[in-house]
Amino acid sequence: MGLKSYISSPYIKHQYEWDEIITSYRIFENDKPLNIEIGPGKGKSLLNLGDRFPEKNFVGMEKTPRCLKEFRRKAEKKRLSNIFVFHCFIEKMLEANVTDNSIENFIVFFPDPWPKKKHRKRRFLRKKGLSLLETKLKKNGKIFIKTDFMDYWVEILGTIRELRGLFLESFGKVKSWQSPFNVPTNYEQKYYRMGKEPFYLVVQKI
Ligand SMILES: C[S@@+](CC[C@H](N)C(=O)[O-])C[C@H]1O[C@@H](n2cnc3c(N)ncnc32)[C@H](O)[C@@H]1O
């Protein structure tokens, strides 16, 4: 499946229109630390992070046009200067357009859980995806993760222990996570309304 539609906005660029390396200078014309949110959906967390950390830049990577249209509406209203989204496939963009050791932090809030056993190999935060994030992180850079799927959370905990370059800094229930990176997301609010209790992990590159 490809990325068929093009969504026009100063805050969004399609992966097929961009063949450069992603840097703060090229996107924002400054040298603030670059953070990437994987699958920001409609962008609630991205907009909150941009607002909360004016000293950092935030780039989202999202494939779903419906979500991007909603993000565009909110971003053009809020007019932050430190947020941007690529309409792309995460894996393709990270591999081709992000330099190793260049990202301050990754944010991965509520990645697709692929609950059926036969689909679990499609989960992004398995060995391959986590190793890719590790490669792109700066030394001491972090991955902030939230999920409502306990099974996925437990799987990630196990994988981190197997990866030599990553260290588990903290984990637990989202309600007890004291961090300025703990901003609400659309899915999180939906899960709370359903009575679910999401979990978080903070992982650091050694
Ligand atoms: C469960 S939603 C969570 C959205 C948002 N983080 C939130 O918490 O509200 C997962 C998001 O990841 C995006 N996504 C999943 N796989 C992707 C991929 N390979 N490339 C780009 N985006 C992807 C989906 O389109 C979706 O918007």
Side-chain angles (χ1 to χ4, degrees):
M1 199 178 66
L3 300 166
K4 286 183 188 131
S5 54
Y6 280 77
I7 296 155
S8 165
S9 167
Y11 289 98
I12 301 171
K13 188 78 114 187
H14 198 285
Q15 115 181 1
Y16 299 150
E17 297 174 302
W18 184 274
D19 56 8
E20 296 177 59
I21 294 298
I22 297 172
T23 65
S24 275
Y25 190 74
R26 286 192 179 109
I27 299 174
F28 302 100
E29 297 182 352
N30 60 45
D31 61 358
K32 294 178 187 178
L34 190 59
N35 291 253
I36 292 183
E37 180 167 8
I38 301 287
K42 295 177 183 170
K44 189 181 190 74
S45 41
L46 193 73
L47 287 153
N48 269 302
L49 289 166
D51 213 9
R52 194 169 278 190
F53 295 100
E55 74 284 9
K56 301 182 192 296
N57 290 324
F58 292 90
V59 166
M61 295 186 174
E62 173 58 57
K63 68 175 181 180
T64 305
R66 186 176 34 84
C67 294
L68 288 166
K69 284 181 186 158
E70 181 64 23
F71 164 73
R72 172 177 64 183
R73 195 184 60 75
K74 292 189 214 147
E76 290 181 2
K77 195 167 166 199
K78 207 159 182 179
R79 297 169 72 91
L80 294 173
S81 60
N82 62 342
I83 57 161
F84 193 82
V85 167
F86 281 100
H87 182 190
C88 68
F89 288 121
I90 298 154
E91 301 81 352
K92 151 88 185 58
M93 198 101 209
L94 283 178
E95 279 165 12
N97 303 89
V98 178
T99 310
D100 294 355
N101 307 302
S102 69
I103 303 303
E104 185 181 46
N105 300 296
F106 281 104
I107 296 104
V108 196
F109 290 162
F110 302 94
D112 287 343
W114 296 106
K116 286 187 185 161
K117 226 173 189 156
K118 64 176 179 185
H119 291 153
R120 286 191 186 158
K121 56 180 179 299
R122 298 184 192 172
R123 287 177 171 174
F124 178 68
L125 294 177
R126 300 194 107 194
K127 230 177 202 166
K128 188 169 173 229
L130 285 162
S131 301
L132 180 60
L133 299 188
E134 182 208 329
T135 306
K136 302 299 171 185
L137 274 178
K138 288 182 176 177
K139 188 167 182 257
N140 299 326
K142 294 182 183 178
I143 312 172
F144 300 107
I145 302 165
K146 296 199 237 188
T147 178
D148 64 307
F149 254 73
M150 193 179 210
D151 162 82
Y152 198 1
W153 183 68
V154 170
E155 185 187 32
I156 300 166
L157 282 169
T159 310
I160 299 299
R161 291 200 182 97
E162 288 173 30
L163 291 173
R164 292 170 137 222
L166 292 174
F167 153 87
L168 186 61
E169 191 203 80
S170 61
F171 60 98
K173 290 185 176 173
V174 168
K175 276 194 177 148
S176 61
W177 183 22
Q178 305 292 327
S179 163
F181 279 87
N182 186 10
V183 291
T185 84
N186 292 98
Y187 268 77
E188 180 174 346
Q189 292 183 321
K190 188 173 92 179
Y191 294 139
Y192 278 127
R193 283 197 298 273
M194 290 162 73
K196 291 190 178 184
E197 179 74 280
F199 303 95
Y200 79 93
L201 296 117
V202 179
V203 181
Q204 188 166 20
K205 177 165 172 171
I206 298 165

